[in-house]
Amino acid sequence: NTALGTKSGFTTTGSGSVFLGNFAGYYETASNKLFIDNDARTSEADGRIKALVYGVFAATTASQSVTFNSQVLVREDLQFTTKTIDTTAGDSATINSPAGRFRKDTTGTTFTLTNSYITANSIIILQYASDPGITGFDTFVVAGAGSATITFTTSGLAAAPSSNTDVNFLVINW
């Protein structure tokens, strides 16, 4: 473990963790954790949900995570890279990733995205990676727990895309 700060990682029995700040991860007992904090929390669970930054180290990147328990302000460019891409043309896909890409074909005006990151409070940002032949392109998203229905319209008319359209998405929960 690496601990920097008074009583950081104080009760840990694990290894491979990084604790930065006074009392950071004070109650944490598991291995391979990241804490950036400066407050004595009341329990292990309380520390994980209230530390400024809480993370999990793992051998594979897909198993690692980092949580910011704060507002995040980005003053410059923010880029997302994802390995989850469904480029099969159709009207629905399951893509369990906070960001990804799907291909909407010309069969209908709606696309159903099933995604475990989507909640009733989700905002889904869409970027059209390819939209040849589509002008005046508007999109409406209605999200519910676990899925979203994306309705494609052109110039206010409910018309299907005129060609296959690759759509990048980002799920933001608030």
Side-chain angles (χ1 to χ4, degrees), residues 14 95 132 141:
I95 305 174
V141 177

Side-chain angles (χ1 to χ4, degrees), residues 7-8 25 29 35 40 50 53 56 62-63 94 103 105 111 117 123 131-132 167:
K7 297 190 179 181
S8 62
T29 58
F35 280 87
K50 290 183 180 175
V53 176
V56 177
S63 298
T94 299
R103 178 170 288 169
D105 68 8
F111 186 90
Y117 289 87
I123 296 170
D131 59 346
V167 182

Side-chain angles (χ1 to χ4, degrees), residues 48-146:
R48 291 177 180 180
I49 62 171
K50 290 183 180 175
L52 177 65
V53 176
Y54 167 71
V56 177
F57 297 109
T60 63
T61 57
S63 298
Q64 295 187 129
S65 65
V66 65
T67 302
F68 296 94
N69 297 311
S70 66
Q71 295 181 25
V72 177
L73 173 64
V74 178
R75 295 206 180 265
E76 294 295 329
D77 190 20
L78 181 61
Q79 297 179 10
F80 293 90
T81 303
T82 180
K83 63 180 181 66
T84 306
I85 298 174
D86 182 332
T87 57
T88 303
D91 289 329
S92 66
T94 299
I95 305 174
N96 284 318
S97 176
R101 175 183 288 178
F102 61 84
R103 178 170 288 169
K104 174 64 182 93
D105 68 8
T106 60
T107 60
T109 60
T110 62
F111 186 90
T112 301
L113 176 62
T114 304
N115 185 312
S116 61
Y117 289 87
I118 298 173
T119 69
N121 294 324
S122 291
I123 296 170
I124 302 170
I125 298 174
L126 302 170
Q127 175 196 29
Y128 306 102
S130 64
D131 59 346
I134 300 175
T135 58
F137 198 63
D138 295 317
T139 306
F140 300 96
V141 177
V142 177

